[in-house]
Amino acid sequence: MKTTVIQFPGSNCDMDAFHVVSSVLGQPSSLVWHTETALPPTDLVILPGGFSYGDHLRSGAIAARSPVMLEVKKHAQRGGLVLGICNGFQVLTESGLLEGALLRNENLHFLCKDVNLRVENSQTAFSSAYSQGQILRIPIAHGEGNFYADPETLSRLESENRVVFRYVGAVQDAEGNPNGSLNDIAGIVNTRGNVLGLMPHPERASEEILGSSDGLGVFESLVSTLAHG
Amino acid sequence: MSSDEQELRRAYRDAALEWENSSDAALWENTIADGIERGSWPQSTQTLEDLKPMTQIQTPTLRDRAQTFGLSLEEFDLVVDVMEREPNPLEAAIFGAMWSEHCGYKNSRPLFSRFPTTGPQVLQGPGENAGVVDIGDGFAVAFKMESHNHPSAVEPVQGAATGVGGILRDIFAMGARPFAVLDSLRFGDLSSARTRFLLHGEVEGIAMYGNAMGVATVGGEITFHPSFEENPLVNVMALGLMRHEDLAKGTMGEEGNQIYYVGSKTGRDGLGGAVFASADLSSDSAVDRPAVQVGDPFMEKLLLEATLEAIRAGLVAGVQDMGAAGLTSSTVEMAYRANLGVDLHLERVPMRETGMIPLELMLSESQERMILVPIPGMEQALEDLLAKYELDVVTIGEVAAHGRYKLYWHGELVGDMPVNALNEAPKYTREGVESEEIRAKREMNLSSVPIPENLEEVLLKLLSHPTIASKRPIFERFDHQVGANSVLLPGQADAAVMRIKGSSKGVAATSDCNPRFVYLDPYWGAASAVAEAARNLVCVGAKPLAITDNLNFGNPHRPDVYYQLERSVQGIADACLALGTPVTGGNVSLYNQYVEAGRTVAIHPTPTIGMVGVLEDISKRATMGFKRDGDVILLIGENSSELGASQYLETIHGLEAGQVPRLGLDYERDNQFAVRSLIAIGWCDTAHDCSDGGLAVALSEMCIAGNNGARVSFDPEAYSKAQSEEFKQDVTYYARADLLEDETVIRADALLFGEAQSRFVVAVKAEDINYVLSWLRVYMVAPYQVIGRVGGETLELDLDRHELKLSWSLEQLREAFEKPLLEAMA
């Protein structure tokens, strides 16, 4: 799986994603600076977490308009895989590759903690390594992860089965939504199924020594999807 | 912005403009010649009333106004001696800043010679931007702790944020990538509105800066005591990881080198901050707000990446950040280390505001500014690299052989000082005298303190004291995982542990101080802070390597305060020597006191100890939570009847009194070695030290963290009698009674809540217990005893000889422990 991690000024989870793909999974990976106007041959583009451009204007707003994003959009149009994590998810909604928007957390505070995610759709390129309904323990770290979409978009996301990860409580019926996201949405894919954005950080939960490897499945799904076409 | 502040800023501007307009060459030469023409300059520590006359030209002598520059009359005369003429206002202000406590350590440096500063692990000792220790495999860790107390007292959000920014620059200026931050925060009473304001503000500031920088905030300590009500403490410790070969220095290199100014433009924020930090906090401090810097983590993130890339590419001869006294201290110190001089052209300094004057440029503490000195021939490569990160760079001067600090303004020499004199601040050794009031408190007889009827309630009260209670609601505001290195998260263990990618090693870090101990006995209190820091590292399985210290005290001109400073330094020095952890640097924050209606309230003396350790094999580590039903609980170390200086006395009896618990440094080392060995062998993955609240609180924390109950008995015989047949078979009791005090003479409250030093609670698997006990008996000198077993939904303490059986449900413990800060942060 040839992977390209995009680096914007202010990205700070770029090396974490790079580490998982290159060191943990041993896949060929490269880093590309935001001013580049061409991508190396690549199967997967990762938009990493962080505070691109200092979150100035709006989280992800400036990054979404940086030169390299034109190439990322072309890559997506060609059917190439794009994974946006945290700030990367914000960049995807700002650039129109995904619907909806990420507002400030309901409690208006940055929040860093483990959350429980339920795999709502194990049929995507990003989730095939999981079983339907599997519960994952993966950390979040964001101040603006409160997913919002207008009612029509929201019902379309649900009816088209494009909500891939949803926040759930530790026990049945317990409150699991950390930020006020509509429908407890933590991650969605586009209609074509090749662009995924999620607020939680699978790259921080891909090695047992860090407390959980539940997130590795996202990257393993992609590897096997590419292997088996 | 308050109207006061606006008025103050206008006053600054008017004064500045007037100077600018009239500062033609003739006037400048004139100024240098007799140094008198100009009025004194608006200093951030002055009030509006002082400021108004300054917008007019005055003629009293400069010496009369020495204090305006942070110089005493004696110091001013000393300046005249070394200059062989009277300085002009600019020069006087520069001497004032360089000789301030913050930069010149004039009161504390004479004491530092007592610190052990060397060891095979020390790659860089005191004197650089940060200390550096070797952790093996070619890796090294740069670390340092710094205070931002006064700014945070005035403007908590920016004060704390720029505290983080400043220490991070110190770390990457050494060539290390910052990968962990610990915050040591001290507040007044949590119930007071001011404390809530400061707590919320500082937490927001640390989160705002650290999260955006992508440096994990992995630990620290947060304590509450009335003595910090007006003057809170913000001590920030940062660690950075590097390869040995990337070690950089803050030097000018060689003659002819260019001096690059990189980063943010210079504004009037933080004007005179070094002087500000070295003055009493007064009720006028609100108008000091311009002395508080404003942080921009985005700019700092670009500086971080660019600086590290430049160092790794071998483009720079020297690097330093502009911290306290900004452009002045950074360039003076770099010239001093290179034993050279500099010529600076101040009109080239990028300015954020119009009409700025040399003095403002020299003393501004605007954030996110670095000095880079390119290796000759590498200038273009460095400029290209900086351009990639969209960073402005200006050549503000050259390195010269003349050994002088020469300042030019539009071609005119406006300042000319010997570099050495600027760096060699006068040293003051004062007479310390212990306060009678404190001595009396320490020597108070505690035998009359009544033992409360309901000891179960006492434990819940202690667990819900904000100093002891869970800090989770605060740590959740900080990104403690970015970087994917955090192996042990806040609250899981006694110290933070970071893994080293591509190595089996780990790095552990902690920051500790018990101000109540230091207040009652500066020597033993400070020594205990070092011992506790080491204890915390040992509890995760790390070998302590070295410390950085942050000495927070009151006004050293007061004999009682100087006594606390001097005795604390001695205590740290002796403990570091005994425990083999040299001092690699630190920071001093004096004048932490608040003047109110003429009465001076000094903070409790707080020498915060930041300690770093290494785990050779990170897979062998321990956390505090009880993990498995049936694990056997051991106490390493002795219980004692000591009650003095305990959180229990303060919280339950309103008493801040008594002798601090005695500390035997050899005994301490032996106990630490036993625990560290148990973990290293792989017998023990559960360890916790006894500190605030004593053994009962330690056991509660282990139950809460592991969501497991425990049955504990403090009486060996009663204990073995109480055991099930099955347990009797797998445990033979080996406790060395000769080393144990007889529980009957220990008061129940001292046994439960006393803070006797050098004690650890550990848990081992039942199947290993016989090996563990034999090994402890044969190979270790540390005293130990089996005190119980893990399991159940309750914590049960059996004080057999007191005929007391105490019991708490996990729910009770958790509620008391979790609630206070959840409510405070809501």
Side-chain angles (χ1 to χ4, degrees):
Chain A
M1 177 175 68
K2 291 195 283 308
T3 303
T4 299
V5 178
I6 307 294
Q7 296 181 296
F8 302 103
S11 294
N12 62 28
C13 303
D14 44 339
M15 296 316 292
D16 302 356
F18 186 82
H19 167 75
V20 171
V21 178
S22 62
S23 306
V24 178
L25 291 177
Q27 302 294 319
S29 317
S30 49
L31 296 158
V32 169
W33 190 237
H34 68 119
T35 52
E36 293 299 322
T37 52
L39 295 178
T42 190
D43 303 309
L44 168 69
V45 170
I46 296 179
L47 302 176
F51 289 69
S52 57
Y53 295 89
D55 272 359
H56 294 163
L57 189 55
R58 279 192 315 274
S59 310
I62 302 177
R65 286 147 187 83
S66 63
V68 77
M69 282 308 292
L70 291 171
E71 297 308 308
V72 174
K73 282 178 184 162
K74 288 184 201 153
H75 173 77
Q77 280 149 15
R78 287 192 299 268
L81 296 164
V82 180
L83 169 61
I85 302 168
C86 198
N87 186 226
F89 189 8
Q90 295 161 341
V91 174
L92 287 174
T93 56
E94 283 288 342
S95 60
L97 283 168
L98 287 175
E99 298 105 315
L102 293 146
L103 314 177
R104 283 193 72 183
N105 294 352
E106 213 165 30
N107 71 359
L108 303 181
H109 293 303
F110 183 99
L111 201 56
C112 177
K113 63 187 278 194
D114 284 352
V115 297
N116 293 312
L117 298 180
R118 189 172 60 223
V119 180
E120 298 289 84
N121 177 352
S122 62
Q123 303 307 308
T124 76
F126 304 86
S127 57
S128 55
Y130 298 119
S131 53
Q132 189 72 17
Q134 186 177 342
I135 303 294
L136 314 174
R137 191 113 176 111
I138 294 182
I140 55 163
H142 60 250
E144 284 148 349
N146 180 354
F147 183 83
Y148 173 84
D150 58 70
E152 304 78 71
T153 313
L154 205 55
S155 56
R156 202 168 62 252
L157 285 171
E158 295 289 359
S159 61
E160 294 172 5
N161 211 0
R162 286 161 49 199
V163 176
V164 181
F165 300 109
R166 209 186 296 272
Y167 301 110
V168 293
V171 292
Q172 196 65 28
D173 303 331
E175 176 53 53
N177 184 334
N179 53 28
S181 293
L182 293 177
N183 296 20
D184 303 333
I185 288 173
I188 58 172
V189 280
N190 62 348
T191 15
R192 192 167 172 180
N194 64 320
V195 178
L196 177 112
L198 79 170
M199 288 314 295
H201 285 273
E203 81 280 18
R204 296 184 184 186
S206 292
E207 295 164 278
E208 274 310 325
I209 191 171
L210 300 181
S212 166
S213 57
D214 288 0
L216 194 59
V218 171
F219 304 95
E220 287 171 335
S221 301
L222 291 162
V223 173
S224 62
T225 303
L226 287 161
H228 310 108
Chain B
M1 196 180 346
S2 75
S3 62
D4 272 10
E5 195 174 335
Q6 282 164 339
E7 196 184 334
L8 183 66
R9 291 194 172 184
R10 261 184 251 106
Y12 272 122
R13 189 199 54 221
D14 299 345
L17 283 172
E18 184 189 337
W19 173 274
E20 172 84 324
N21 299 338
S22 55
S23 64
D24 54 68
L27 220 167
W28 269 106
E29 280 159 12
N30 184 7
T31 309
I32 292 166
D34 57 0
I36 306 303
E37 263 331 293
R38 287 278 129 196
S40 69
W41 294 99
Q43 293 292 301
S44 58
T45 47
Q46 294 176 308
T47 66
L48 289 172
E49 287 57 43
D50 304 329
L51 266 172
K52 290 193 182 80
M54 281 172 216
T55 57
Q56 303 127 27
I57 297 179
Q58 318 173 331
T59 49
T61 71
L62 196 62
R63 189 173 185 277
D64 298 339
R65 295 191 310 278
Q67 211 159 11
T68 315
F69 306 108
L71 293 169
S72 68
L73 287 180
E74 298 68 26
E75 288 166 345
F76 184 88
D77 296 339
L78 202 57
V79 170
V80 175
D81 290 350
V82 298
M83 296 274 291
E84 292 163 344
R85 63 173 166 84
E86 203 170 56
N88 64 30
L90 175 63
E91 294 168 327
I94 287 173
F95 269 99
M98 288 307 297
W99 287 6
S100 70
E101 190 63 38
H102 208 77
C103 298
Y105 301 107
K106 53 192 171 191
N107 292 293
S108 44
R109 189 182 284 169
L111 301 172
F112 292 167
S113 55
R114 303 180 188 180
F115 285 143
T117 58
T118 55
Q121 71 273 45
V122 178
L123 297 181
Q124 176 61 61
E128 265 288 348
N129 287 308
V132 180
V133 288
D134 180 14
I135 59 167
D137 297 355
F139 290 102
V141 169
F143 70 107
K144 178 147 181 235
M145 187 184 288
E146 216 161 73
S147 64
H148 233 216
N149 302 336
H150 289 85
S152 304
V154 177
E155 211 292 81
V157 177
Q158 290 300 334
T162 53
V164 174
I167 193 66
L168 290 178
R169 283 193 300 283
D170 282 332
I171 299 303
F172 67 74
M174 299 300 294
R177 174 171 290 275
F179 75 141
V181 163
L182 292 86
D183 308 296
S184 176
L185 310 178
R186 319 239 172 227
F187 299 99
D189 188 334
L190 181 57
S191 62
S192 85
R194 173 167 169 80
T195 295
R196 301 256 174 147
F197 162 72
L198 292 171
L199 175 64
H200 282 262
E202 290 176 17
V203 168
E204 185 188 333
I206 290 164
M208 183 264 279
Y209 210 105
N211 297 353
M213 280 296 289
V215 180
T217 300
V218 296
E221 45 175 353
I222 303 170
T223 67
F224 299 83
H225 185 282
S227 87
F228 301 107
E229 186 72 26
E230 294 300 342
N231 191 137
L233 300 185
V234 175
N235 294 177
V236 185
M237 175 184 182
L239 286 74
L241 183 68
M242 72 167 101
R243 303 286 309 172
H244 286 192
E245 58 270 24
D246 292 327
L247 181 58
K249 304 250 175 169
T251 172
M252 285 294 179
E254 56 204 58
E255 180 186 359
N257 285 355
Q258 302 287 299
I259 302 171
Y260 281 18
Y261 169 116
V262 184
S264 298
K265 293 180 162 51
T266 297
R268 293 194 170 105
D269 55 336
L271 198 53
V275 181
F276 172 52
S278 306
D280 289 5
L281 206 53
S282 77
S283 48
D284 299 326
S285 291
V287 302
D288 279 332
R289 235 182 247 96
V292 179
Q293 312 87 324
V294 178
D296 174 2
F298 178 53
M299 172 63 80
E300 175 129 323
K301 171 73 167 150
L302 298 176
L303 277 176
L304 159 71
E305 298 300 337
T307 304
L308 290 181
E309 209 171 314
I311 291 168
R312 277 162 206 182
L315 304 181
V316 290
V319 184
Q320 182 146 343
D321 83 287
M322 296 190 223
L327 184 56
T328 299
S329 65
S330 53
T331 48
V332 168
E333 286 169 17
M334 291 175 85
Y336 182 71
R337 295 193 191 109
N339 194 23
L340 290 165
V342 293
D343 298 309
L344 297 182
H345 309 282
L346 301 181
E347 72 282 357
R348 300 184 195 166
V349 174
M351 298 176 217
R352 196 180 297 156
E353 303 171 59
T354 56
M356 291 189 68
I357 57 172
L359 181 136
E360 291 176 314
L361 297 170
M362 293 308 295
L363 294 191
S364 165
E365 293 185 0
S366 293
Q367 295 290 291
E368 294 90 28
R369 302 179 301 160
M370 306 283 294
I371 294 289
L372 300 186
V373 177
I375 290 168
M378 295 298 180
E379 291 84 358
Q380 192 52 51
L382 180 57
E383 286 174 31
D384 296 344
L385 171 59
L386 295 168
K388 170 188 168 187
Y389 290 98
E390 294 163 40
L391 289 165
D392 298 333
V393 53
V394 180
T395 309
I396 56 165
E398 307 79 34
V399 183
H402 52 54
R404 300 192 65 84
Y405 194 67
K406 295 191 174 195
L407 304 175
Y408 295 87
W409 180 244
H410 298 291
E412 298 298 330
L413 185 67
V414 296
D416 183 355
M417 297 146 276
V419 166
N420 292 354
L422 285 169
N423 268 280
E424 285 149 13
K427 299 192 179 90
Y428 300 114
T429 318
R430 307 183 185 280
E431 270 310 300
V433 182
E434 178 169 30
S435 140
E436 278 312 315
E437 181 195 348
I438 298 176
R439 180 202 301 272
K441 284 184 184 176
R442 181 175 65 247
E443 289 169 358
M444 179 188 288
N445 178 347
L446 301 173
S447 57
S448 59
V449 172
I451 299 179
E453 273 305 308
N454 186 339
L455 290 165
E456 287 169 338
E457 193 183 296
V458 170
L459 174 59
L460 296 176
K461 275 210 184 104
L462 286 173
L463 285 174
S464 57
H465 187 286
T467 293
I468 292 175
S470 166
K471 307 301 187 299
R472 191 172 48 81
I474 292 171
F475 278 113
E476 286 185 348
R477 300 275 183 91
F478 307 144
D479 190 334
H480 40 72
Q481 290 171 308
V482 61
N485 298 315
S486 310
V487 172
L488 296 186
L489 303 178
Q492 264 186 309
D494 288 9
V497 172
M498 319 294 290
R499 59 109 171 248
I500 306 298
K501 294 190 187 94
S503 152
S504 62
K505 291 174 181 288
V507 172
T510 181
S511 76
D512 296 281
C513 182
N514 182 334
R516 193 186 318 107
F517 279 21
V518 185
Y519 171 76
L520 287 167
D521 189 330
Y523 178 84
W524 286 112
S528 299
V530 175
E532 189 190 345
R535 226 173 278 149
N536 285 332
L537 294 187
V538 161
C539 281
V540 297
K543 177 181 191 295
L545 288 178
I547 76 158
T548 174
D549 57 13
N550 200 143
L551 307 175
N552 308 273
F553 290 81
N555 180 344
H557 296 263
R558 277 174 48 177
D560 58 328
V561 171
Y562 190 80
Y563 171 86
Q564 297 174 324
L565 177 62
E566 186 275 328
R567 296 313 297 155
S568 294
V569 167
Q570 193 60 53
I572 293 169
D574 293 348
C576 284
L577 200 60
L579 299 177
T581 54
V583 180
T584 63
N587 169 252
V588 179
S589 172
L590 302 179
Y591 308 93
N592 287 290
Q593 53 191 29
Y594 186 77
V595 186
E596 195 172 37
R599 188 171 125 275
T600 301
V601 189
I603 61 159
H604 270 18
T606 310
T608 311
I609 303 300
M611 191 179 282
V612 169
V614 64
L615 291 85
E616 288 304 325
D617 175 359
I618 197 166
S619 68
K620 304 265 181 58
R621 58 181 190 270
T623 59
M624 73 169 76
F626 285 134
K627 295 172 186 57
R628 290 159 300 264
D629 256 27
D631 276 11
V632 180
I633 305 167
L634 289 91
L635 175 72
I636 309 284
E638 297 173 82
N639 294 322
S640 84
S641 48
E642 295 165 297
L643 261 186
S646 61
Q647 185 74 50
Y648 160 77
L649 275 187
E650 182 185 314
T651 308
I652 306 301
H653 299 282
L655 274 179
E656 196 165 35
Q659 301 281 353
V660 306
R662 65 179 183 277
L663 174 69
L665 287 167
D666 292 344
Y667 168 69
E668 174 73 45
R669 205 181 43 232
D670 293 339
N671 296 4
Q672 288 186 16
F673 184 65
V675 173
R676 190 150 61 80
S677 307
L678 282 172
I679 298 169
I681 292 169
W683 271 330
C684 171
D685 62 3
T686 307
H688 188 26
D689 76 318
C690 296
S691 56
D692 296 352
L695 192 50
V697 164
L699 287 164
S700 308
E701 289 170 339
M702 298 174 86
C703 288
I704 295 166
N707 194 29
N708 249 315
R711 293 170 296 136
V712 169
S713 163
F714 294 111
D715 176 345
E717 295 155 41
Y719 174 73
S720 38
K721 271 193 248 106
Q723 292 320 304
S724 65
E725 275 314 309
E726 152 268 327
F727 186 51
K728 271 196 210 133
Q729 283 153 14
D730 71 41
V731 175
T732 328
Y733 188 74
Y734 284 118
R736 296 169 43 154
D738 57 309
L739 285 168
L740 299 173
E741 285 192 39
D742 175 357
E743 274 80 357
T744 51
V745 307
I746 303 184
R747 302 165 43 129
D749 54 353
L751 185 58
L752 293 168
F753 310 118
E755 298 179 12
Q757 294 293 291
S758 316
R759 289 182 302 165
F760 300 82
V761 178
V762 303
V764 302
K765 295 205 188 74
E767 64 258 34
D768 294 334
I769 186 64
N770 286 323
Y771 303 105
V772 168
L773 293 175
S774 333
W775 179 84
L776 282 169
R777 182 192 47 175
V778 175
Y779 296 106
M780 294 289 118
V781 296
Y784 60 90
Q785 58 181 308
V786 172
I787 59 170
R789 294 199 105 179
V790 175
E793 292 299 306
T794 58
L795 170 62
E796 288 166 27
L797 300 185
D798 177 357
L799 284 67
D800 203 68
R801 299 191 187 175
H802 298 278
E803 284 158 358
L804 276 171
K805 287 190 191 304
L806 308 174
S807 170
W808 302 262
S809 73
L810 286 180
E811 253 342 283
Q812 276 180 299
L813 297 176
R814 190 175 293 109
E815 199 203 348
F817 187 65
E818 296 283 350
K819 223 171 169 187
L821 284 157
L822 266 180
E823 289 173 349
M825 296 306 291

